[in-house]
Amino acid sequence: MDTLTHLSHTLREAMSDIVPESHPEHPFNLIPELCRKFYDLGWATGTGGGISIKMGENYYIAPSGVQKERIKPNEIFVLNASQDVVEEPRTEKQLKISECTPLFFNAYRMRGAGACLHTHSANCVLISLLCDREFRISHIEMIKGIINNETKKALGFRDTLVIPIIENTDFERDLTASMAECMERYPESCAVLVRRHGMYVWSDTWQKAKGAVECIDYLMGLAIRMRTLGLEWEPKDVK
Amino acid sequence: MDTLTHLSHTLREAMSDIVPESHPEHPFNLIPELCRKFYDLGWATGTGGGISIKMGENYYIAPSGVQKERIKPNEIFVLNASQDVVEEPRTEKQLKISECTPLFFNAYRMRGAGACLHTHSANCVLISLLCDREFRISHIEMIKGIINNETKKALGFRDTLVIPIIENTDFERDLTASMAECMERYPESCAVLVRRHGMYVWSDTWQKAKGAVECIDYLMGLAIRMRTLGLEWEPKDVK
Amino acid sequence: MDTLTHLSHTLREAMSDIVPESHPEHPFNLIPELCRKFYDLGWATGTGGGISIKMGENYYIAPSGVQKERIKPNEIFVLNASQDVVEEPRTEKQLKISECTPLFFNAYRMRGAGACLHTHSANCVLISLLCDREFRISHIEMIKGIINNETKKALGFRDTLVIPIIENTDFERDLTASMAECMERYPESCAVLVRRHGMYVWSDTWQKAKGAVECIDYLMGLAIRMRTLGLEWEPKDVK
Amino acid sequence: MDTLTHLSHTLREAMSDIVPESHPEHPFNLIPELCRKFYDLGWATGTGGGISIKMGENYYIAPSGVQKERIKPNEIFVLNASQDVVEEPRTEKQLKISECTPLFFNAYRMRGAGACLHTHSANCVLISLLCDREFRISHIEMIKGIINNETKKALGFRDTLVIPIIENTDFERDLTASMAECMERYPESCAVLVRRHGMYVWSDTWQKAKGAVECIDYLMGLAIRMRTLGLEWEPKDVK
């Protein structure tokens, strides 16, 4: 590590002992950082997409209808388990909480998730149009990055990853019931695709949720290229 | 926020109280920043594309024929509502104002826009070649990021986004009349595609104009991939 | 070089004389940097992929199951030639060594490699599905960036690059024997593709290994686009 | 501009009055910067590609066979008009001058160029395989970014851009004569495609050469997508 970077790290760590919110992985800092990453990947452009992380008893949620790559640490809402705002963003801007909030809480309530992510990746939309009720793929190494929500174990190379698909609604909040109903029918799944819209992905920690969304988006992008090349998603004869 | 970043922010804010132009979202800083972003997205390479933002009674416009990702704050022209230059760029370089100027002013005059953006995205060119007089798409979530210029309301998921297409001319300025005429025929539209060339997009604020161009480019890129996969842009039977 | 950068460089160099590990190209720094690069290229998302570099008698290996783009210098394992850990990561985090370790050592033992890289690039997966036992391509300039492991000379423009493909297994470590066996059958090759999984690439130095993986991934991406356009990978009639 | 950035700029400018080589647009700094950009675009991976810039009577050329994105200011060769090295790189590394040197000098000698760029973009390779002796495209706005080498005027929207293609050779230097001969046959062209290899592009200044390579690569990438969608490159009936 070079000297200036070292100095900066030392100062940051000293400060994060005193003010925990200054830690780079505190949700106040992590949500803006991950939103920038999602924006750069095309998953959260045009104010689309969203990120929510749980820490302790608090649920941190990004504002609605803002440029996701420009969110600042003082623009995050803090909620409790009853979905009440316990801490408003510390900014003069008039912000509304993300419309995805009740959908994020499906993952918190029903699965005890530690983070729930929402992307508008074009891969999701295309896959939702190429599939009927489920996206299914097997025998690709990256499937091993997905955790079965019931067994809590990672999927194996020969397992079929199944992501259920629900129909889109006119308003985001109206997806709450059908997403919950879908999660009940698919207890092993860590994600729900919304047709013509995007995807919700959750896991025990933000690290695992981020890993899952990366694996699933990789697999969907791969599947689309496979389709163009005439390759099967669920092959019968793999050694 | 780490200590060094915090120091930098504090200094910047103190300075931006005294010198408003030093604020990161002043058009002098924002236009270079957005030009870099557009360049990275392939929307403004080879000196193509352009950005214009209104603040107060001033219209800020990038220079013509320069590398868009290298524009500096002191290279921006300031115009009044009559399209007179009221402030020359504060540089020794010989700069010409963007040839898009009269087209940007179509949006300012006819729609009271707060910003007008011009991209050369390859998606625009391809869509303009796949369509006749309009690009039409419906039933994709990202359509909700577009605002109807007449009702001032966001489009709904089931609405059809319609972007009109005009023919290209030998010189950019010669598009002025046909763009204006097109805007009159399409009062709800926030964008005009120029065949074999690119797109103009505007909105009340630079934030909304940037959101709109991101949504439209996403939808056009998606539509091209849909075409390759044999998927319909305006489906009849969506639940 | 600007003054601040110069100051930073001078300090860094002064420090790296005293503390060699602070040198930017020490494996403690280089592995995190290259992991970030691989992540950005989509070669190491979802905790996939891995990097290992030899320096002196030490083998530096990244941890397993972590976000590759967030690895820090103090999270690297140091091993000796017998694959014993001689230096644990200097962090409180509970880290496991990469499961690729015995595969990396195939390259160290059998080829005297100085670095071995593992990617999950989607190009690798697609090529492994389009080919039977080998990926073969000739008459593309970038082939000249690949070194024949037997002759130690770069391939020529008219040579055929041959990358052998092995079948994937349920656990990464179970690839060790089949990868070694494949390397024996293909003594000229600097890489092995793992079907439906990814690729291992090695060379005498990390610079050459990085160059090789860039050339091979470029050639695979090109080959997939060639297939879509109906172009031959091993043409007969090149002037 | 924020205060720290301002400070850095002021120091840099003060220093560049005293030491011209510290100016960010001196070829010692510009070549590394542009090499990084080309690397990020996939035009100079695996040590491929190259950049050369003329300033005053000096010709600045990058070293051969190195990672293009890691070139440092002290690794650049300086040549005179007779292609003699007048200043060796100021580094202990053993560097060889780029093998593209005699090809760059074709542009300097025959066209009085101010810069000559070489890319290995996959778009170049694909276009060289889809075309016989020339790549031809017309009626796309980005064509206006190309300058006719004979008239010194920019091409018009309705002009046909013609880039001639030469056959690749086993060694880069053996392209010298056929590139020169091709340039004589195509006096209007600012670029030569090398089949199955890449492209050379030049212009009066590095800014114009960079603009030209961006426009041509954009047009080639677009043309490949047009081919996939069944669209004509030289349409007969454009309004």
Side-chain angles (χ1 to χ4, degrees), chain B residues 110-127:
Chain B
M110 298 173 67
R111 299 288 171 90
C116 188
L117 315 175
H118 175 44
T119 82
H120 280 190
S121 162
N123 288 334
C124 293
V125 174
L126 291 170
I127 285 293

Side-chain angles (χ1 to χ4, degrees), chain A residues 8 11-12 15 29 39 45-46 67 69-70 120 122-123 125-126 129 167-168 170 196-197 224, chain B residues 1-4 25 30 33 37 139-142 144 157-158 206-207 210 214 218 225 235 238:
Chain A
S8 151
L11 285 168
R12 185 190 298 168
M15 197 162 158
N29 300 307
Y39 175 85
T45 58
Q67 299 179 74
E69 79 284 12
R70 298 179 88 94
H120 280 190
N123 288 334
V125 174
L126 290 171
L129 293 172
E167 303 308 320
N168 199 25
D170 292 318
R196 301 179 169 277
H197 177 158
I224 295 163
Chain B
M1 217 179 322
D2 71 77
T3 312
L4 288 184
E25 295 197 352
L30 199 55
E33 180 193 335
K37 214 176 268 266
H139 294 91
I140 302 291
E141 180 70 11
M142 288 287 270
K144 291 163 67 176
F157 169 64
R158 287 164 217 286
W206 70 266
Q207 291 94 335
K210 174 170 165 289
E214 289 175 357
Y218 171 102
R225 295 174 75 191
V238 176

Side-chain angles (χ1 to χ4, degrees), chain C residues 72-123:
Chain C
K72 299 207 177 103
N74 64 352
E75 297 174 5
I76 310 291
F77 288 83
V78 188
L79 279 71
N80 63 16
S82 317
Q83 297 189 44
D84 305 317
V85 174
V86 295
E87 200 176 316
E88 295 279 347
R90 287 169 284 180
T91 171
E92 288 161 20
K93 289 188 202 167
Q94 291 299 319
L95 297 174
K96 287 196 303 178
I97 195 164
S98 169
E99 291 190 41
C100 309
T101 304
L103 289 88
F104 291 148
F105 272 85
N106 276 341
Y108 293 127
R109 280 187 309 104
M110 298 173 67
R111 300 289 171 89
C116 187
L117 313 175
H118 175 45
T119 82
H120 280 189
S121 162
N123 288 334

Side-chain angles (χ1 to χ4, degrees), chain B residues 2-239:
Chain B
D2 71 77
T3 312
L4 288 184
T5 309
H6 183 74
L7 175 65
S8 151
H9 281 192
T10 308
L11 286 169
R12 185 190 296 167
E13 275 171 36
M15 198 161 157
S16 66
D17 281 346
I18 312 169
V19 191
E21 296 155 26
S22 73
H23 191 282
E25 295 197 352
H26 186 282
F28 281 149
N29 299 307
L30 199 55
I31 289 175
E33 180 193 335
L34 295 180
C35 279
R36 278 195 300 276
K37 214 176 268 266
F38 279 24
Y39 175 85
D40 288 340
L41 289 165
W43 296 354
T45 58
T47 80
I51 286 180
S52 155
I53 294 174
K54 186 186 178 201
M55 197 181 69
E57 296 308 305
N58 288 335
Y59 300 80
Y60 297 80
I61 294 182
S64 169
V66 301
Q67 298 178 76
K68 290 293 181 284
E69 80 283 13
R70 298 180 89 93
I71 291 177
K72 298 205 178 105
N74 64 354
E75 296 174 5
I76 310 292
F77 288 83
V78 188
L79 278 70
N80 63 17
S82 317
Q83 297 190 44
D84 305 315
V85 174
V86 294
E87 200 177 318
E88 295 280 346
R90 286 169 286 179
T91 171
E92 289 160 19
K93 288 189 202 167
Q94 291 299 317
L95 297 175
K96 286 196 305 178
I97 195 164
S98 168
E99 292 191 41
C100 308
T101 304
L103 289 87
F104 290 148
F105 272 85
N106 276 340
Y108 293 127
R109 279 187 311 105
M110 298 173 67
R111 299 288 171 90
C116 188
L117 315 175
H118 175 44
T119 82
H120 280 190
S121 162
N123 288 334
C124 293
V125 174
L126 291 170
I127 285 293
S128 78
L129 293 172
L130 292 171
C131 298
D132 186 13
R133 298 193 184 178
E134 299 170 343
F135 167 56
R136 299 174 66 94
I137 192 164
S138 71
H139 294 91
I140 302 291
E141 180 70 11
M142 288 287 270
I143 290 170
K144 291 163 67 176
I146 312 294
I147 294 169
N148 179 318
N149 257 231
E150 213 162 39
T151 65
K152 298 286 175 187
K153 288 188 185 153
L155 269 68
F157 169 64
R158 287 164 217 286
D159 290 334
T160 297
L161 172 68
V162 180
I163 312 270
I165 304 173
I166 60 174
E167 302 308 320
N168 200 23
T169 52
D170 292 317
F171 301 97
E172 195 109 26
R173 61 178 177 270
D174 295 339
L175 290 165
T176 314
S178 61
M179 179 185 166
E181 188 268 340
C182 176
M183 288 170 73
E184 264 166 38
R185 273 188 298 120
Y186 289 87
E188 301 182 23
S189 184
C190 68
V192 170
L193 271 165
V194 185
R195 191 160 354 252
R196 302 178 167 279
H197 177 158
M199 179 168 58
Y200 284 84
V201 182
W202 58 87
S203 196
D204 292 351
T205 65
W206 70 266
Q207 291 94 335
K208 287 183 187 168
K210 174 170 165 289
V213 75
E214 289 175 357
C215 286
I216 296 172
D217 201 81
Y218 171 102
L219 290 163
M220 295 191 305
L222 181 72
I224 295 163
R225 295 174 75 191
M226 288 170 80
R227 174 65 50 96
T228 311
L229 292 160
L231 300 163
E232 288 295 313
W233 296 353
E234 280 191 278
K236 301 270 177 277
D237 54 348
V238 176
K239 283 174 229 177

